Amino acid sequence: MRVVVAGAGLAGLTAAVELVQAGAEVTVLEARGRVGGRMHGVRLDDGLVVDGGAAYLGIRHTELLRLVRECGLEVVSTPMSGDSTFLLSGRTTTTASRVPPLDAVALGDLFDKLEELVGQVRPDAPWLSPNAEPRDRLTVAQWLAEHLGHPDARTFFPLFLGEMMAADPSAISVLHMAFYLNSGGGIRYLNAFEGGAQQWRIDGGAHRLCEVLADRLGDRVRLGQPVSRIEQNVDGIVVQDGAGSRHHADEVVVAMPPLLAQRIDFRPGLRTPRATPATGRGCAVKVHLGYPAPIWREHGLSGWSVSTNGPLLSTVDDSPPDDSAGVLTGFVTGAAASAFSALSATGQRDAVLAHVGRLFPRLPRPTKYAVTDWLSDPHSMGCYAALFGPGDWLSLGPTLTEPHGHVHFAGTETSMEYFGLMEGAIRSGRRVAAELIRGDAAIPTSEEALAR
Ligand SMILES: Cc1cc2nc3c(=O)[nH]c(=O)nc-3n(C[C@H](O)[C@H](O)[C@H](O)COP(=O)(O)OP(=O)(O)OC[C@H]3O[C@@H](n4cnc5c(N)ncnc54)[C@H](O)[C@@H]3O)c2cc1C
């Protein structure tokens, strides 16, 4: 069986390795000049690489943990001891709690309402959940206007959504928010460091995982070859890359975010789209600040902060496990990310340094600085993940994992479990590889059959 995999992110690489192990002849075509997609190592200085993309994982990410071990890599804890810092409506406070100092009853009420929505969504088929249709039509911003009266709940909610989904409330449907939170293991798990989805990082950077998988595949991985057309007819399948090269295959795996899959010229065309005009991009910019050591810990601080006064929505201590340097990672998300991305490099730096100066006035200026802007990245179009807007789950959901003839779809956005996360990417790659290995793919290639 000859298989072309389009996309060398975690999903495509996972599928490719499993298919090679099963005896398939595999070629992986990757648009970028590197593997890893949304898992990307950024060199902060000579010996220090930080996660410009995905970083965190937890105990429930069982496939990811297994793969990390199989690849000879290790996880390290995300440091989180010490006080939190909050900059809310212009006022800075430090407190032992990770919850912002806002009205506890209002926040409790908000979480109760969210838990109710999350509990009602059907994790395997959100479009079949009770009230799926009205919840898929309603944006989270509209839901907020109706359900959140207390100003502290209104202050807190965009911070929560920005951190969880890098999303603006007007960009996603209520059904998508509920599904995402459910799929990721629930609000408490997703939101937590100790015992939660942020407990660990991969030592040396999450991208190492993709590099090890790509090493196993050797010259089967071809970089700088964006797939532009996939043509199926009675003679087989031809995959064409941007340079016009044609690759013949029996099966194809498209392992990329839906907005990018939608751009491929499928012949015959897709019966149902991979994305709609309502499908949005998550918006995230990561900022890394390097210090000679994690100096904030000397002041009893964890480095964790949350701010309403941007640009950094939150900061996390991402120092290496041997404390040989101090690293604070800042997240700019949602609408703030678009505004930040539009600034000049100097404007961004000035804004970040001024903000960090207010959060942590006792810290010296950082000695290293890096910005990873995913908004302008044409090969991701959505970070952390694509955002399903109003109507998307009802129209896209039922066919999300359905093959188009001999073309199979992987990628974290096709996984019902841990959608949007590394764990979801692996599970999607495994699903597709298993389909092909079992032979579920024995579907006629005639144009009539495809067009049906
Ligand atoms: C800033 C940020 C923070 C994140 N934090 C976390 C986290 O802490 N924990 C977590 O679990 N997840 C996190 N994620 C999400 C995680 O990175 C993704 O879920 C996962 O990496 C997706 O893998 P994938 O293979 O599905 O897609 P991708 O990584 O997007 O891979 C798709 C690949 O396809 C390639 N491609 C695109 N178009 C074409 C084409 N036409 N032809 C050929 N190749 C093409 C792309 O270049 C890319 O390499 C984060 C993401 C970002 C950006």
Side-chain angles (χ1 to χ4, degrees):
M1 175 169 59
R2 294 166 306 168
V3 184
V4 168
V5 177
L10 187 55
L13 293 169
T14 302
V17 166
E18 302 220 341
L19 288 163
V20 168
Q21 282 166 353
E25 196 185 303
V26 176
T27 305
V28 182
L29 301 177
E30 165 55 45
R32 288 179 164 106
R34 63 168 177 84
V35 299
R38 284 172 272 177
M39 296 157 74
H40 179 39
V42 171
R43 194 164 287 281
L44 202 54
D45 71 20
D46 286 349
L48 184 58
V49 174
V50 291
D51 286 303
Y56 310 109
L57 64 149
I59 191 77
R60 295 191 193 170
H61 301 165
T62 50
E63 300 304 299
L64 178 55
L65 285 165
R66 186 147 65 96
L67 194 60
V68 167
R69 267 195 307 275
E70 272 171 28
C71 288
L73 300 170
E74 288 180 4
V75 296
V76 294
S77 295
T78 312
M80 193 35 93
S81 54
D83 287 350
S84 312
T85 306
F86 297 100
L87 174 52
L88 304 176
S89 309
R91 210 172 130 248
T92 308
T93 45
T94 57
T95 149
S97 169
R98 278 242 298 118
V99 181
L102 294 166
D103 188 285
V105 175
L107 297 197
D109 183 46
L110 166 63
F111 278 109
D112 286 348
K113 286 186 171 125
L114 289 173
E115 296 280 16
E116 195 183 332
L117 287 174
V118 171
Q120 287 173 2
V121 83
R122 224 182 103 165
D124 59 330
W127 58 95
L128 298 178
S129 309
N131 296 316
E133 190 164 352
R135 285 181 183 166
D136 200 32
R137 301 262 162 245
L138 197 67
T139 67
V140 171
Q142 290 165 330
W143 179 82
L144 285 178
E146 209 177 304
H147 290 91
L148 290 196
H150 198 289
D152 280 10
R154 287 178 180 274
T155 300
F156 177 73
F157 186 80
L159 302 174
F160 168 79
L161 201 67
E163 199 190 331
M164 292 289 101
M165 300 180 72
D168 198 62
S170 60
I172 57 173
S173 70
V174 172
L175 187 62
H176 184 60
M177 175 183 69
F179 163 74
Y180 185 92
L181 297 173
N182 186 316
S183 167
I187 296 172
R188 276 175 216 284
Y189 180 73
L190 268 174
N191 203 17
F193 280 77
E194 186 67 37
Q198 274 77 238
Q199 179 151 8
W200 297 302
R201 301 161 291 162
I202 298 174
D203 200 10
H207 67 289
R208 290 285 303 124
L209 194 57
C210 294
E211 288 177 351
V212 174
L213 295 175
D215 284 349
R216 288 185 185 168
L217 293 165
D219 60 11
R220 295 179 185 90
V221 180
R222 317 259 176 90
L223 301 178
Q225 302 207 10
V227 168
S228 54
R229 179 185 296 171
I230 300 175
E231 201 166 347
Q232 308 182 62
N233 58 42
V234 281
D235 299 325
I237 308 169
V238 179
V239 179
Q240 193 168 305
D241 67 34
S245 299
R246 292 159 66 83
H247 307 263
H248 294 269
D250 303 309
E251 308 290 340
V252 176
V253 176
V254 172
M256 62 185 75
L259 285 164
L260 290 165
Q262 181 65 23
R263 289 187 167 183
I264 294 175
D265 177 10
F266 291 94
R267 298 187 181 190
L270 294 172
R271 285 184 300 269
T272 44
R274 304 303 302 167
T276 75
T279 313
R281 320 168 176 209
C283 295
V285 179
K286 260 189 169 184
V287 180
H288 286 100
L289 303 166
Y291 299 84
I295 310 162
W296 48 92
R297 296 184 201 161
E298 293 164 16
H299 306 302
L301 298 175
S302 64
W304 165 254
S305 75
V306 174
S307 300
T308 51
N309 305 68
L312 304 178
L313 173 111
S314 61
T315 59
V316 184
D317 183 343
D318 262 331
S319 304
D322 61 2
D323 295 343
S324 55
V327 177
L328 280 181
T329 303
F331 290 81
V332 191
T333 64
S338 307
F340 184 77
S341 185
L343 296 174
S344 67
T346 314
Q348 290 181 345
R349 194 185 183 105
D350 290 348
V352 167
L353 294 182
H355 188 173
V356 174
R358 291 181 75 190
L359 285 170
F360 307 115
R362 294 162 80 187
L363 289 189
R365 272 172 84 88
T367 49
K368 311 279 176 211
Y369 171 84
V371 172
T372 314
D373 181 349
W374 292 93
L375 270 73
S376 50
D377 190 319
H379 301 306
S380 289
M381 289 187 75
C383 291
Y384 322 128
L387 302 175
F388 281 18
D392 273 351
W393 270 111
L394 258 70
S395 63
L396 304 175
T399 51
L400 213 52
T401 57
E402 193 176 289
H404 174 55
H406 288 265
V407 178
H408 305 260
F409 296 97
T412 191
E413 286 94 349
T414 67
S415 181
M416 294 294 118
E417 296 158 321
Y418 303 97
F419 176 108
L421 298 178
M422 294 184 276
E423 179 73 11
I426 296 175
R427 291 186 187 214
S428 76
R430 293 223 157 116
R431 170 184 51 75
V432 161
E435 272 166 28
L436 291 176
I437 294 164
R438 278 199 315 263
D440 295 3
I443 295 164
T445 42
S446 74
E447 298 210 3
E448 303 78 65
L450 288 167
R452 268 206 304 271

